[in-house]
Amino acid sequence: MSRSQAAKADARTGAALDVERIRADFPVLSRRVHGQPLAYLDNAATSQKPQSVIATLDRYYSEYNANIHRGVHTLSEEATAAFEDARRRIAAFINAGDAKQIIFVRGTTEAINLVAQSWGRGRLRQGDEIVITGLEHHSNIVPWQMLCEQTGAKLRVMPITDAGEIDLDAGRKLIGPATRLVAVSHISNALGTINPVAEIVRLAKEHGALTLVDGAQAVPHLAVDVQALGCDFYAFSGHKLFGPTGIGVLYGRAALLEQMPPWQGGGDMIKVVSFERTVYNDLPYKFEAGTPHIAGGIGLGAAIDYVQQTGLDAIARHEQALLEYATAAALRIPGLRLIGTARHKASILSFVMDGIHPHDLGTILDHQGVAIRTGHHCAMPIMERFRIPATARASFAFYNTAAEVDRLMAGITAAQKVFT
Ligand code: PMP
């Protein structure tokens, strides 16, 4: 795509960002796939990394690779300072009151498992209930099922409507005196629905229940303020936020984290160890046993810097314009049915086609350099709800363009000619 073509395409979406300049910051976006320029539309699975993040990782390994917290030598002090500075920037990014409320984990999945086991296992018993929604990723379902098996608690599920929104009227009836925790995704990865999490937190609080928000899909797209939301826990992954894989964050309310026992035992999470008794470390280290992903934490700090410099408001405007443009184009294609038509959506377009399996469509698009995801998106209950085995899903980031949407739609039309 030429610069002028891209500019024209972006003018059509009313883009507020200099997308061509931004694209130049992401080296992988200039590669070709099957001889075609890459159109990377699988950002909900993982996002691409700007050069500043790649250079940050490179600098850590080239210049000051060392283990943290324990060393007195210069490299260890530099690595510790960079890691802890990243923690402070992450805290500010989601408006956590204190950096000690930011626990580094592997990703959203590990964050939710940590809460289920550390908070839930010793506390829940028969008669207690955990409420989730019909829109959850498997990582916000299975850890709670495991906890229910371990404690005798019961899992209850807020239903979703045909548009892919949480049915709050039905949900209200599920939250009551037996509810101990409500766990809800901020944005659905399979459908793109932006959920009314502040309202759900309020409902849970009325009944004295705690709340966990799975923010894996939210932090790359909208400004998150955990204190304004009022949630007790918030989880997200670095790799969907233009940072490295293998690093993520659990935010927790400080008083709650203080009360919770450690999840894993090992180095760094202790103050004193003897064979008779171990004294655990303070927050956040109590929950960070073993050598963490040091480069990952520092790299995530750099990714957040990049997002903040770009500006989440401008990102959201550009992505909303792309979503509207793509939705209108998709609706003009006969035989295409959108799955997920919520009023408030992030830049995710899930759909099925008459006569074409999503996997076949994905393969044909790949041959044109267009990368989308096909399958159940780790949300099998949603597929069951809509009585489909899979969807094709295009998910846009701020570096995507209307010209790429045009290529997606042209690829779908070409696939229709092959199959019908
Ligand atoms: N929740 C949601 C909404 C997600 O989209 C994902 C990743 N697809 C996860 C949780 C799990 O994230 P991770 O695999 O990075 O732990």
Side-chain angles (χ1 to χ4, degrees), residues 110-130:
E110 190 170 68
I112 297 172
N113 277 278
L114 190 163
V115 174
Q117 292 303 309
S118 168
W119 171 81
R121 194 158 185 180
R123 261 166 238 249
L124 297 197
R125 51 188 60 82
Q126 218 153 18
D128 289 336
E129 292 181 355
I130 296 165

Side-chain angles (χ1 to χ4, degrees), residues 157-161 165-175 196 199-200 203 343:
V157 185
M158 290 194 208
I160 59 174
T161 66
E165 294 176 340
I166 296 170
D167 181 344
L168 264 188
D169 288 335
R172 265 188 206 100
K173 296 189 191 116
L174 289 181
I175 301 176
E199 197 169 341
I200 292 171
L203 267 177
R343 282 158 296 175

Side-chain angles (χ1 to χ4, degrees), residues 88-276:
R88 281 189 289 277
R89 300 209 304 285
I90 293 163
F93 179 64
I94 58 168
N95 195 29
D98 197 305
K100 73 179 182 186
Q101 294 170 273
I102 300 297
I103 295 157
F104 280 121
V105 288
R106 271 195 303 133
T108 310
T109 304
E110 190 170 68
I112 297 172
N113 277 278
L114 190 163
V115 174
Q117 292 303 309
S118 168
W119 171 81
R121 194 158 185 180
R123 261 166 238 249
L124 297 197
R125 51 188 60 82
Q126 218 153 18
D128 289 336
E129 292 181 355
I130 296 165
V131 175
I132 59 171
T133 84
L135 276 179
E136 301 311 310
H137 186 278
H138 296 161
S139 64
N140 202 24
I141 302 174
V142 184
W144 306 118
Q145 286 175 326
M146 291 163 67
L147 179 62
C148 287
E149 270 172 34
Q150 289 158 350
T151 62
K154 201 168 161 202
L155 190 65
R156 313 215 50 194
V157 185
M158 290 194 208
I160 59 174
T161 66
D162 290 342
E165 294 176 340
I166 296 170
D167 181 344
L168 264 188
D169 288 335
R172 265 188 206 100
K173 296 189 191 116
L174 289 181
I175 301 176
T179 312
R180 300 294 306 281
L181 180 116
V182 179
V184 57
S185 53
H186 202 159
I187 294 179
S188 155
N189 68 308
L191 306 185
T193 313
I194 303 177
N195 292 318
V197 280
E199 197 169 341
I200 292 171
V201 168
R202 223 172 14 251
L203 267 177
K205 274 191 178 158
E206 277 171 22
H207 295 278
L210 298 187
T211 46
L212 177 143
V213 179
D214 167 356
Q217 295 293 341
V219 283
H221 302 296
L222 45 92
V224 171
D225 180 333
V226 287
Q227 294 190 69
L229 278 180
C231 57
D232 296 289
F233 301 105
Y234 196 96
F236 63 93
S237 303
H239 68 98
K240 297 186 199 275
L241 185 58
F242 316 100
T245 51
I247 189 77
V249 167
L250 173 67
Y251 155 86
R253 207 154 46 75
L256 204 52
L257 292 174
E258 300 280 7
Q259 289 163 18
M260 285 160 49
W263 181 42
Q264 295 176 329
D268 228 25
M269 51 75 74
I270 49 82
K271 278 184 176 161
V272 185
V273 177
S274 72
F275 288 121
E276 288 70 41

